[in-house]
mmCIF file of all heavy atoms in Angstrom:
data_model
loop_
_atom_site.group_PDB
_atom_site.id
_atom_site.type_symbol
_atom_site.label_atom_id
_atom_site.label_comp_id
_atom_site.label_asym_id
_atom_site.label_seq_id
_atom_site.Cartn_x
_atom_site.Cartn_y
_atom_site.Cartn_z
ATOM 1 N N PHE A 1365 1.647 18.291 11.784
ATOM 2 C CA PHE A 1365 2.821 19.139 11.973
ATOM 3 C C PHE A 1365 2.446 20.619 11.938
ATOM 4 O O PHE A 1365 3.078 21.441 12.610
ATOM 5 C CB PHE A 1365 3.876 18.838 10.909
ATOM 6 C CG PHE A 1365 4.587 17.526 11.106
ATOM 7 C CD1 PHE A 1365 4.956 16.752 10.027
ATOM 8 C CD2 PHE A 1365 4.883 17.065 12.382
ATOM 9 C CE1 PHE A 1365 5.613 15.537 10.210
ATOM 10 C CE2 PHE A 1365 5.532 15.860 12.573
ATOM 11 C CZ PHE A 1365 5.902 15.094 11.482
ATOM 12 N N TYR A 1366 1.416 20.974 11.172
ATOM 13 C CA TYR A 1366 0.948 22.354 11.150
ATOM 14 C C TYR A 1366 0.400 22.751 12.515
ATOM 15 O O TYR A 1366 0.681 23.844 13.020
ATOM 16 C CB TYR A 1366 -0.127 22.524 10.075
ATOM 17 C CG TYR A 1366 -0.643 23.939 9.941
ATOM 18 C CD1 TYR A 1366 -0.061 24.830 9.049
ATOM 19 C CD2 TYR A 1366 -1.722 24.387 10.707
ATOM 20 C CE1 TYR A 1366 -0.531 26.127 8.916
ATOM 21 C CE2 TYR A 1366 -2.196 25.686 10.581
ATOM 22 C CZ TYR A 1366 -1.602 26.546 9.693
ATOM 23 O OH TYR A 1366 -2.054 27.840 9.578
ATOM 24 N N VAL A 1367 -0.392 21.876 13.124
ATOM 25 C CA VAL A 1367 -0.919 22.149 14.467
ATOM 26 C C VAL A 1367 0.225 22.265 15.463
ATOM 27 O O VAL A 1367 0.236 23.161 16.320
ATOM 28 C CB VAL A 1367 -1.900 21.036 14.887
ATOM 29 C CG1 VAL A 1367 -2.285 21.181 16.350
ATOM 30 C CG2 VAL A 1367 -3.138 21.067 14.012
ATOM 31 N N LEU A 1368 1.199 21.372 15.371
ATOM 32 C CA LEU A 1368 2.340 21.398 16.288
ATOM 33 C C LEU A 1368 3.130 22.685 16.142
ATOM 34 O O LEU A 1368 3.441 23.359 17.130
ATOM 35 C CB LEU A 1368 3.235 20.186 16.015
ATOM 36 C CG LEU A 1368 4.599 20.184 16.703
ATOM 37 C CD1 LEU A 1368 4.445 19.948 18.199
ATOM 38 C CD2 LEU A 1368 5.518 19.134 16.083
ATOM 39 N N ARG A 1369 3.471 23.023 14.918
ATOM 40 C CA ARG A 1369 4.331 24.179 14.682
ATOM 41 C C ARG A 1369 3.599 25.506 14.870
ATOM 42 O O ARG A 1369 4.113 26.449 15.447
ATOM 43 C CB ARG A 1369 4.902 24.101 13.268
ATOM 44 C CG ARG A 1369 5.917 25.164 12.925
ATOM 45 C CD ARG A 1369 7.139 25.073 13.788
ATOM 46 N NE ARG A 1369 8.165 26.033 13.348
ATOM 47 C CZ ARG A 1369 9.158 26.443 14.117
ATOM 48 N NH1 ARG A 1369 9.269 25.979 15.349
ATOM 49 N NH2 ARG A 1369 10.044 27.305 13.671
ATOM 50 N N GLY A 1370 2.351 25.572 14.376
ATOM 51 C CA GLY A 1370 1.614 26.829 14.433
ATOM 52 C C GLY A 1370 0.868 27.059 15.728
ATOM 53 O O GLY A 1370 0.544 28.194 16.063
ATOM 54 N N GLY A 1371 0.543 25.974 16.452
ATOM 55 C CA GLY A 1371 -0.113 26.114 17.737
ATOM 56 C C GLY A 1371 -1.604 26.363 17.664
ATOM 57 O O GLY A 1371 -2.214 26.735 18.672
ATOM 58 N N CYS A 1372 -2.235 26.151 16.508
ATOM 59 C CA CYS A 1372 -3.661 26.420 16.398
ATOM 60 C C CYS A 1372 -4.471 25.260 16.960
ATOM 61 O O CYS A 1372 -3.958 24.155 17.165
ATOM 62 C CB CYS A 1372 -4.050 26.664 14.940
ATOM 63 S SG CYS A 1372 -4.010 25.189 13.910
ATOM 64 N N ALA A 1373 -5.743 25.506 17.209
ATOM 65 C CA ALA A 1373 -6.651 24.446 17.641
ATOM 66 C C ALA A 1373 -6.972 23.545 16.453
ATOM 67 O O ALA A 1373 -6.864 23.950 15.289
ATOM 68 C CB ALA A 1373 -7.932 25.052 18.212
ATOM 69 N N TRP A 1374 -7.389 22.324 16.762
ATOM 70 C CA TRP A 1374 -7.715 21.379 15.689
ATOM 71 C C TRP A 1374 -8.800 21.950 14.780
ATOM 72 O O TRP A 1374 -8.730 21.811 13.557
ATOM 73 C CB TRP A 1374 -8.184 20.052 16.281
ATOM 74 C CG TRP A 1374 -7.120 19.301 17.027
ATOM 75 C CD1 TRP A 1374 -7.003 19.171 18.373
ATOM 76 C CD2 TRP A 1374 -6.014 18.573 16.463
ATOM 77 N NE1 TRP A 1374 -5.894 18.408 18.690
ATOM 78 C CE2 TRP A 1374 -5.275 18.027 17.538
ATOM 79 C CE3 TRP A 1374 -5.584 18.330 15.153
ATOM 80 C CZ2 TRP A 1374 -4.128 17.256 17.349
ATOM 81 C CZ3 TRP A 1374 -4.435 17.562 14.959
ATOM 82 C CH2 TRP A 1374 -3.727 17.037 16.049
ATOM 83 N N ARG A 1375 -9.797 22.585 15.367
ATOM 84 C CA ARG A 1375 -10.922 23.107 14.584
ATOM 85 C C ARG A 1375 -10.514 24.281 13.693
ATOM 86 O O ARG A 1375 -11.282 24.671 12.808
ATOM 87 C CB ARG A 1375 -12.052 23.539 15.511
ATOM 88 C CG ARG A 1375 -12.670 22.397 16.305
ATOM 89 C CD ARG A 1375 -13.669 22.910 17.338
ATOM 90 N NE ARG A 1375 -14.193 21.835 18.160
ATOM 91 C CZ ARG A 1375 -15.306 21.153 17.896
ATOM 92 N NH1 ARG A 1375 -16.022 21.479 16.822
ATOM 93 N NH2 ARG A 1375 -15.723 20.190 18.684
ATOM 94 N N LEU A 1376 -9.357 24.868 13.934
ATOM 95 C CA LEU A 1376 -8.901 26.022 13.159
ATOM 96 C C LEU A 1376 -7.922 25.655 12.062
ATOM 97 O O LEU A 1376 -7.256 26.531 11.507
ATOM 98 C CB LEU A 1376 -8.275 27.058 14.099
ATOM 99 C CG LEU A 1376 -9.194 27.637 15.165
ATOM 100 C CD1 LEU A 1376 -8.469 28.681 15.991
ATOM 101 C CD2 LEU A 1376 -10.447 28.237 14.538
ATOM 102 N N LEU A 1377 -7.820 24.370 11.733
ATOM 103 C CA LEU A 1377 -6.968 23.971 10.618
ATOM 104 C C LEU A 1377 -7.439 24.648 9.332
ATOM 105 O O LEU A 1377 -8.647 24.743 9.076
ATOM 106 C CB LEU A 1377 -7.022 22.449 10.435
ATOM 107 C CG LEU A 1377 -5.986 21.613 11.179
ATOM 108 C CD1 LEU A 1377 -6.287 20.131 10.995
ATOM 109 C CD2 LEU A 1377 -4.575 21.917 10.688
ATOM 110 N N PRO A 1378 -6.528 25.127 8.506
ATOM 111 C CA PRO A 1378 -6.940 25.726 7.220
ATOM 112 C C PRO A 1378 -7.751 24.743 6.376
ATOM 113 O O PRO A 1378 -7.567 23.532 6.447
ATOM 114 C CB PRO A 1378 -5.600 26.060 6.555
ATOM 115 C CG PRO A 1378 -4.634 26.220 7.686
ATOM 116 C CD PRO A 1378 -5.076 25.236 8.728
ATOM 117 N N HIS A 1379 -8.619 25.274 5.552
ATOM 118 C CA HIS A 1379 -9.538 24.434 4.795
ATOM 119 C C HIS A 1379 -8.851 23.638 3.691
ATOM 120 O O HIS A 1379 -9.461 22.708 3.140
ATOM 121 C CB HIS A 1379 -10.652 25.299 4.185
ATOM 122 C CG HIS A 1379 -11.535 25.933 5.212
ATOM 123 N ND1 HIS A 1379 -12.318 25.198 6.075
ATOM 124 C CD2 HIS A 1379 -11.744 27.237 5.542
ATOM 125 C CE1 HIS A 1379 -12.990 26.008 6.875
ATOM 126 N NE2 HIS A 1379 -12.652 27.248 6.585
ATOM 127 N N ASP A 1380 -7.634 24.012 3.316
ATOM 128 C CA ASP A 1380 -6.966 23.238 2.269
ATOM 129 C C ASP A 1380 -6.310 21.974 2.812
ATOM 130 O O ASP A 1380 -5.746 21.187 2.040
ATOM 131 C CB ASP A 1380 -5.936 24.097 1.522
ATOM 132 C CG ASP A 1380 -5.030 24.884 2.448
ATOM 133 O OD1 ASP A 1380 -5.197 24.755 3.680
ATOM 134 O OD2 ASP A 1380 -4.162 25.616 1.960
ATOM 135 N N PHE A 1381 -6.366 21.757 4.130
ATOM 136 C CA PHE A 1381 -5.970 20.474 4.717
ATOM 137 C C PHE A 1381 -7.194 19.555 4.738
ATOM 138 O O PHE A 1381 -8.325 19.995 4.543
ATOM 139 C CB PHE A 1381 -5.457 20.672 6.144
ATOM 140 C CG PHE A 1381 -4.029 21.118 6.232
ATOM 141 C CD1 PHE A 1381 -3.700 22.312 6.858
ATOM 142 C CD2 PHE A 1381 -2.994 20.338 5.721
ATOM 143 C CE1 PHE A 1381 -2.387 22.726 6.945
ATOM 144 C CE2 PHE A 1381 -1.676 20.737 5.813
ATOM 145 C CZ PHE A 1381 -1.366 21.932 6.418
#
Side-chain angles (χ1 to χ4, degrees):
F1365 287 144
Y1366 182 91
V1367 171
L1368 169 71
R1369 186 63 174 160
C1372 71
W1374 293 106
R1375 296 173 184 268
L1376 299 182
L1377 269 174
H1379 295 297
D1380 47 0
F1381 278 121

